[in-house]
Amino acid sequence: MDLCLRGKRALVTGSSSGIGAGIAQSLAAEGALVVVHGRDEARGNAVAGAIRAGGGHCVVAMGDLATDEGAARVAESARRAFNGLDILVNNAGGKTTTGNPDWLQVTLDDWAGTYQQNVGAAVRMIQHFAPAMRDQGWGRIIQIASASATQTEPGIGEYQAAKAALVNLTTSLARTLAHTGVTVNTVSPGFVVTPASESWLASVAEQGSWGEDRTTIERRFTREMIPLCVSRLGRPADIGNMVAFLASPLADYISGANFRVDGGQCRSVN
Ligand SMILES: NC(=O)c1ccc[n+]([C@@H]2O[C@H](COP(=O)([O-])OP(=O)(O)OC[C@H]3O[C@@H](n4cnc5c(N)ncnc54)[C@H](OP(=O)(O)O)[C@@H]3O)[C@@H](O)[C@H]2O)c1
């Protein structure tokens, strides 16, 4: 299927690593012109190198989206790179605490920091790019939330609440941009194997004495740890495939929606 993305200009925040890198690669493989973004220049350049090696077109923009100044710098670089933007993927995120601290001990500073890293980063980029998308009469804004936005787990309350805010703000933004040609959607991944999640997977496998074989570890994880409907964990390309479709003109009739790409992790009907 031709997704008709050739020449579309895209910024994928947090694409110097993991899921964002997978999304950037999927869009570039469809012929989009991609701005790879992150805070670590070496990682950003490595992702850009892989995209170019595959025949894709991209540039790199660096900056911390948890601050107004950093976000403004990234927006300016991205705008200049291809003379405007058609597709904004708000993927950058994470949490400011390490490990899984007691819910009751997480400081308000960490709640605020995690909100900035996920919601603040997305809102800043939306405010930089949505007006021009509305004026040009076409655009795509896609937030990367999490399965835990709608089906929560114990702990990491500040992270799950921030992801829930992304799902929620997507719907009000879709209505705000109604009849402009700009669609707004959320993609909610389940467990995806990335640098951020790999160490947790390794420690779970060690604690369970699941051995070294990767297929076995993933089969056991998807039965004993987080029950899924498929026998493997997610890969960045699984999210990239969904984002590429939503970003395409083929998805014109889809706005204000949240798409779970979680191997069947969420138990709710909808
Ligand atoms: N992996 C999963 O299982 C999973 C599941 C559900 C949702 N998610 C979400 O998917 C997104 C990507 O996760 P991942 O696992 O791919 O994580 P990752 O490998 O740690 O990558 C995170 C990316 O976001 C960037 N980033 C983080 N905070 C930033 C900030 N303040 N300013 C600018 N860039 C920032 C990082 O940049 P640098 O590294 O260059 O600093 C990196 O490129 C996140 O929003 C995460 O919450 C992940």
Side-chain angles (χ1 to χ4, degrees):
M1 186 189 295
D2 177 7
L3 294 181
C4 305
L5 280 168
R6 189 154 299 283
K8 294 283 188 205
R9 303 157 296 180
L11 164 62
V12 184
T13 70
S15 46
S16 60
S17 177
I19 290 174
I23 295 169
Q25 276 158 353
S26 295
L27 291 173
E30 292 295 323
L33 312 173
V34 178
V35 180
V36 172
H37 159 263
R39 291 168 301 187
D40 184 299
E41 197 156 9
R43 278 205 292 271
N45 286 335
V47 172
I51 288 174
R52 291 188 191 112
H57 295 282
C58 65
V59 299
V60 177
M62 290 289 123
D64 184 353
L65 302 184
T67 69
D68 288 343
E69 305 72 38
R73 265 200 310 278
V74 173
E76 185 54 21
S77 308
R79 202 176 279 120
R80 276 201 198 151
F82 301 118
N83 196 28
L85 200 77
D86 303 300
I87 299 161
L88 168 64
V89 184
N90 284 311
N91 163 78
K95 58 190 178 67
T96 58
T97 55
T98 49
N100 194 3
D102 182 344
W103 200 111
L104 302 176
Q105 303 291 326
V106 175
T107 65
L108 263 297
D109 280 350
D110 278 321
W111 275 82
T114 299
Y115 199 82
Q116 280 292 350
Q117 197 176 351
N118 293 275
V119 183
V123 170
R124 287 185 180 94
M125 300 321 279
I126 289 165
Q127 291 183 344
H128 277 294
F129 289 109
M133 287 184 183
R134 181 187 54 203
D135 293 348
Q136 74 191 10
W138 200 92
R140 295 285 184 263
I141 301 174
I142 299 166
Q143 277 64 249
I144 304 302
S146 168
S148 68
T150 48
Q151 177 172 294
T152 61
E153 302 292 335
I156 57 170
E158 74 288 7
Y159 172 78
Q160 299 182 90
K163 291 304 194 184
L166 285 175
V167 176
N168 185 288
L169 72 81
T170 291
T171 62
S172 60
L173 182 64
R175 280 155 189 58
T176 299
L177 294 173
H179 310 295
T180 65
V182 183
T183 66
V184 193
N185 292 291
T186 314
V187 173
S188 287
F191 191 105
V192 178
V193 181
T194 69
S197 58
E198 185 77 57
S199 59
W200 185 57
L201 179 63
S203 70
V204 169
E206 195 183 327
Q207 278 165 27
S209 303
W210 292 349
E212 303 281 313
D213 178 61
R214 187 60 188 227
T215 307
T216 306
I217 290 172
E218 294 200 14
R219 284 178 68 84
R220 293 195 69 166
F221 190 98
T222 59
R223 284 164 173 76
E224 298 166 36
M225 191 69 198
I226 299 181
L228 303 185
C229 301
V230 297
S231 301
R232 68 165 176 88
L233 296 169
R235 299 289 186 270
D238 294 315
I239 311 305
N241 291 339
M242 172 59 90
V243 169
F245 171 70
L246 283 177
S248 79
L250 279 64
D252 265 348
Y253 193 58
I254 303 173
S255 194
N258 176 34
F259 291 89
R260 301 190 306 233
V261 184
D262 64 2
Q265 178 182 334
C266 285
R267 298 297 179 90
S268 60
V269 174
N270 205 345

